[in-house]
Every structure is written in structure tokens, then in C-alpha cells.
Amino acid sequence: MAKKKLTLAQKYHIYTRGLDWEPTYVSKKDIYPYAEYEGIKIKDWNKWEDPFRMTIEAYWKYQAEKDRRFYAILDGFIQNQGHLTLSDARYLNSIKLFIQGVTPLEYMAHRGFAFVARHLPGAGPRTAAFFQSMDELRHTQIEVHAGSNFNKYYDGFHSMTHMHDRVWYLSVPKSYFDDAVTAGPFEFVTAISFSFEYALTNLLFVPFMSGAAYNGDTPTMTFGFSAQSDESRHMTLGLQVVKFLLEQHEDNVPIIQQWIDKWWWRGYRLTSLVGAMMDYMLPKRVMSWKESFELYVEDQIIEGLFRDLERYGIRPPLHMEQSIKEKEFLSHDVYWILFSFTFAAAFHSWIPTEAEMEWLAEKYPRTFNQYYRWRYEKAKEAKTPLPGDRFYYIGLPQLCQVCQIPMGFTDPDDPNNFVQRYTEYEGEIYHFCSDGCKWIFEREPEKFVQAWLPVHEIYKGNCFAEPPKGPDDVVPQVLRWYNIQTDNFDYFVSEDYKNWKEWHKDMATVLI
Amino acid sequence: MAVVETRRERFVAIDLQKTEEGYNVLQAILKDNPGTRIDEFPGYYKVKHPEKLLINRETVESFMGRPWDTQEFNLVIISYAGNFAEWDDDKILIQWDTHM
């Protein structure tokens, strides 16, 4: 008679706890040196269980299947000249932002979770963190492979890691993850698995990827949904770790609450880039930033998740109300910033078409026509010496010391003003885009005074390929240092647009 | 002044891939969970229920016409809202308010 198969629960137990052991000649403190300094108290690591009950054999089996499906779709897309069937080449500017800004974060997440997988004393969460570390490396790979096909035909895909360490808008995602990986293991897991992956990645990997599908980009849709299916496991890890820590000791509650307060706002500011991508860069749109925020944050996170956490003494993040107030402003503010500084960016921007402005006005009836439409009307009339026959902001912006986004966020309570906050620390003044970022700075000033701010570094002379020959040579030398070549300026004067028109010249219907 | 409009609703949800397998899992969910609502988007279905969503292996198998391992759910899920209260060889249960 054949041996009875192990149940899922038995297998999970054997492959995690069963493979762990008690050290005999080295103290646990020496093995896990980072387990205590954050102040987290754990009584019993065995209380932790992974609801996914993922084991290593199941991991290989299903992840391999996910990858096979992705590469089959990518191959089909490439063989079929799929890039020519996209809705419009403008779409790819959102994917440039993705590959430059998000993909390097996947790699940093791989490193961060490898650290956690080494340093958490419990076998269960260590196993889950190990799987997550492998997931993140795999996400980096499939995203690079999806992007490398577009790199053959379009600008902006050629230099992602080089740019990630240098270019001004990419310091926003870079600084976010640098902040996370320099925290302790418990703060890192709370920041990434819980605050980012449970509360925010849905906005990036679900409605935006649905937008990729709608615009004909099947490889991006496939890596996005595939990645988010791993995120489901990561969300579970984040939620279980947080609940576990809250149940283990009451002293953990205020520590976790502060991390949730900090990392909600950090992650939310980072995700604002997705707002601009969804509302302005997708030629065919699925839902607005505001709609996806209402569905994935207000319903699922505030009404769902945080009501579930009430019993542990956890309340919604400190600055959540501000995020809700900003939902009708955020994407417009961020796209306007990206639009204004496109002369120094590795993507193109454009004035929304009349039909697109109608869509924006319909989705944002209280803000778009009132506060934003006029800017694009003016931008059409303004002339600068730069290519594109429209407005650019020729100058360098004040950056927020914490999120590093230029300080152009509208005050929802006074929409004709931008929010400007500052604080003094050891005789220096530091500027912030919001109360959230100011609060984060004041909690850990010794950390955030060290921020590498791209604008400051340009002024300090640290960002030139060669010393500028005069004032007109400053920006060109910065762009050379960034490795930005023909990747910048308005879409309608770009190589991308020229090529797109050429490739479609024989079509009966003219695409813009 | 900012007018803050919030439209809050409590539900558990699964975001499912719009594929052949995803469709079969969707049918199984609809059969076993009366009161389930579906929102359709390009590339995915969003399945919502005010209290809980149960996926039974046997029901999924009846739609698939083949054996189905509950861990194959990893291949069709995109995201979810709620907690995995149960995940064993025969069923997956998502709901809020579960303890570890």
C-alpha cells in the first residue's frame, strides 16, 4: 500500500520548524545580533504561522510555472512585433518610470529580505522572508527582460541602474528604500511587507497593470500580475508579522504604531508617481488614481485592515486623513512637476489632449478645471529656447528633505497655495512638502540630515560629467552625468514619436 | 476648501486573473459563496463579498474537469483583501477578524 501523503499543514511544519535547530555552543544573541535593539519583545517564536503554508518544493513548482507563462507571453509579444500594437508610444513613458524607478527597488527588496531571512530568530518568518527575497530577485529579472525588448526601439530604457543612483526624480524611490534597508529587521518588515505591500502595492500592480493590459502591453501585465500574486504572500507575511508582534508583548504596540505612521506616509508619497502614470501617461485609462485610492486604500485598508487591527490598539496611520484630502490633487501635482522638469528627465511628457483633459475634468470634477487646466493652456503659449515649443521650468526646484519630491503639493484646504513646511535642526533649516514628511524628519533628524538631495548635489558641483564651461553648459553636463541622451523633452519632438509615425505610416488610420 | 468625500465599504476580496483557470476558480467561488459580487477590469476580475470567500477544492475540480491542488491558487490570484483564515488541502478561506 502506498504511503499516505503528508497534508499541507504537516509538510509546512516539517519543512520549516523541522529544519530548524537549537544552537548548543554559540549563544542565540551572537547568532541574531539585531533581534533586540529595536525594542521589540518576543516570548515565543513558535506562535508564528504562515497562512500560505508555502514549502520549498511548492515554491519551486509554482514559481517555475509562473515564470514559464511569463516568458511564453514575452516571446509571443516579441515575435509578433507586439510593441507596434501598443495603444500609443506615449504609453511607454510610464514603463520607463517603472523600469528606472521600481525595478531597482525590487532588487533592493531582494537584499533587504535576504537580511531579514538571516536575522529573524524565528524559523517560520525566516522561511517566509527567504521566499520573499527570491521573489524580489525574480521580479527584478522578469521586469528587466520585459523592458529589454522595448529598449531595442525606444529611448529611456538603456541605463536604469546608473540613472537610479543619480537622476533627480529617481532619488525619490531610491531614498525610500535606502531608508528601509538601514532600519532594523523588524522595522524593515513592517515598512515593506506591511505598510508598502499590504497597504500600497495594489495601487501599482493591480489598476496600473490592468492599464498595461488595456494599452496592449501583455508582458508588463503578466509580470505585474505575477509579481502581485507573490505580493499576496508578502502581504500575508507583513500582516502576520505585525499581528504576531502585537500579540507577543504590549510594549511592541507603540513601536509598531510609529513605524506604521512613518511608513504609510513614506510609501504613499512614493506611490504618488503611480498617480501621475495612471492619470496622465496611459493613453487608454481603466480607472483614475482617485478611484483606485478609494477602492484599494479607503475600502480595503481603512475600512478592512485597520478595523481588524483596532483590537490590538492600532489606529490608522497618523497622516491618512491628509492622503484622503489629497486624492483629488495628488496625480495632477506630480504630473505637473514631471512635465515642468522634462528637460532633465529620461522620459517624455506632453500637454494632455483635449479629450484627455475632458476625462480628467470628469474624474476630478472639483479640481481639474479649477486648478490645473489653465496651466496647460498657458504651457501651450509659453515659449522657451528648449525643444518642444512649450513651457519648461528652467531652474532647479526646492526638494523635500524626506521624500525628495519637488515641493509642489497643493494644500487641499487652500488650493491656490503649495504646502511649505520647515524645521530647524542644529542651526540648519530643513524644508518639507507636507506635515507627514516634517513629522518623519523630526522623529529621526540624525538620519534624514544625511539625505543625498539631487538639487543640492548639483549646486555643490557633484553631478557634472565635466566642469561646465559656463551657465548654459550646466544642465548639459548634468544630463551627460545622468546618461540622458535623446530621452528628454516633449514627446512630440522625440525620436520615439518620429519612429512611431514612421512605423505606422502605411496604416489607413492615423494614430497621433 | 477641500471637500472630503469618502465612500467606505467593508468587504473581503480576491483579484483574479482573467484566464481560463481564473475563470474556473471564479465559477467555483460564485457557486459556493452566495452574495458574491464581481467587478470586471481589463485583465482581471475583482470578486467581493461582505463577509467571507470560500474556495473549495472539489468545486474548483468540478469546473476544471481535473484534479486541482489548492496551492495552484497561487497561479490565478493577483491580490486580496482580508486574511487567509484557512489554507489546507481541501479549502481556502478568506475573511477579516481572524486570530493567529
Side-chain angles (χ1 to χ4, degrees), chain A residues 13-150:
Chain A
H13 201 267
I14 289 168
Y15 281 129
T16 55
R17 307 314 196 294
L19 288 173
D20 198 28
W21 68 89
E22 283 298 313
T24 51
Y25 57 90
V26 182
S27 79
K28 277 211 158 175
K29 245 188 160 144
D30 288 338
I31 298 176
Y32 304 111
Y34 302 113
E36 284 176 12
Y37 82 98
E38 293 173 277
I40 291 291
K41 294 175 185 162
I42 307 289
K43 290 180 206 154
D44 182 6
W45 275 105
N46 280 323
K47 288 268 161 59
W48 201 90
E49 188 166 3
D50 176 5
F52 267 68
R53 292 185 170 144
M54 181 60 87
T55 59
I56 191 76
E57 58 153 1
Y59 183 86
W60 295 133
K61 187 173 162 188
Y62 293 110
Q63 297 311 108
E65 180 59 24
K66 284 184 192 175
D67 274 15
R68 273 194 292 273
R69 291 177 184 191
F70 166 76
Y71 284 108
I73 284 164
L74 181 61
D75 277 352
F77 186 80
I78 292 169
Q79 282 185 313
N80 200 32
Q81 293 283 295
H83 78 97
L84 295 177
T85 65
L86 294 173
S87 59
D88 182 12
R90 287 183 305 160
Y91 158 79
L92 285 169
N93 290 289
S94 66
I95 302 302
K96 295 173 193 180
L97 265 174
F98 193 101
I99 206 92
Q100 298 160 11
V102 179
T103 303
L105 298 191
E106 305 269 19
Y107 187 71
M108 288 305 286
H110 154 66
R111 294 179 59 186
F113 280 99
F115 173 80
V116 172
R118 164 65 184 82
H119 285 289
L120 285 187
R126 233 173 29 234
T127 308
F130 170 60
F131 292 145
Q132 179 157 355
S133 178
M134 291 193 291
D135 286 334
E136 307 289 1
L137 186 58
R138 173 178 149 267
H139 297 173
T140 314
Q141 290 170 338
I142 60 178
E143 289 165 20
V144 167
H145 283 147
S148 67
N149 172 52
F150 295 129

Side-chain angles (χ1 to χ4, degrees), chain A residues 148-162:
Chain A
S148 67
N149 172 52
F150 295 129
N151 184 42
K152 293 175 196 160
Y153 309 103
Y154 302 90
D155 283 340
F157 289 93
H158 61 289
S159 209
M160 59 177 242
T161 51
H162 177 95

Side-chain angles (χ1 to χ4, degrees), chain A residues 282-381:
Chain A
L282 296 181
K284 289 172 71 177
R285 289 142 202 213
V286 172
M287 63 173 102
S288 66
W289 164 262
K290 181 185 152 195
E291 288 165 324
S292 68
F293 186 88
E294 287 172 344
L295 176 58
Y296 284 99
V297 176
E298 291 184 33
D299 288 350
Q300 296 194 178
I301 302 306
I302 303 177
E303 195 57 25
L305 176 67
F306 278 99
R307 263 184 59 190
D308 221 17
L309 294 174
E310 271 171 20
R311 83 161 74 94
Y312 300 96
I314 291 292
R315 51 156 176 73
L318 204 52
H319 298 96
M320 179 63 92
E321 287 302 315
Q322 184 65 23
S323 315
I324 296 169
K325 277 189 187 180
E326 281 187 358
K327 70 187 176 188
E328 303 219 35
F329 298 89
L330 188 79
S331 63
H332 314 298
D333 287 336
V334 173
Y335 184 74
W336 178 255
I337 292 167
L338 297 175
F339 176 86
S340 303
F341 296 99
T342 306
F343 65 91
F347 58 82
H348 305 295
S349 65
W350 53 90
I351 293 169
T353 64
E354 192 49 44
E356 287 166 346
M357 292 216 241
E358 283 306 307
W359 183 89
L360 289 163
E362 189 199 314
K363 293 292 181 186
Y364 295 94
R366 279 192 290 272
T367 54
F368 184 75
N369 281 345
Q370 294 83 332
Y371 306 112
Y372 298 99
R373 183 189 280 266
W374 66 269
R375 296 187 193 180
Y376 295 103
E377 312 286 356
K378 293 272 180 202
K380 278 181 207 170
E381 295 161 17

Side-chain angles (χ1 to χ4, degrees), chain A residues 464-466 470-482 484:
Chain A
F464 301 125
E466 287 167 42
D472 289 348
D473 196 34
V474 169
V475 170
Q477 290 303 342
V478 173
L479 296 182
R480 277 186 61 204
W481 189 71
Y482 285 171
I484 288 174

Side-chain angles (χ1 to χ4, degrees), chain A residues 487-505:
Chain A
D487 314 289
N488 51 347
F489 296 119
D490 196 272
Y491 172 73
F492 291 103
V493 291
S494 70
E495 291 289 309
D496 283 4
Y497 178 53
K498 205 175 94 191
N499 292 333
W500 183 260
K501 271 194 303 188
E502 178 64 23
W503 294 328
H504 291 89
K505 69 175 190 278

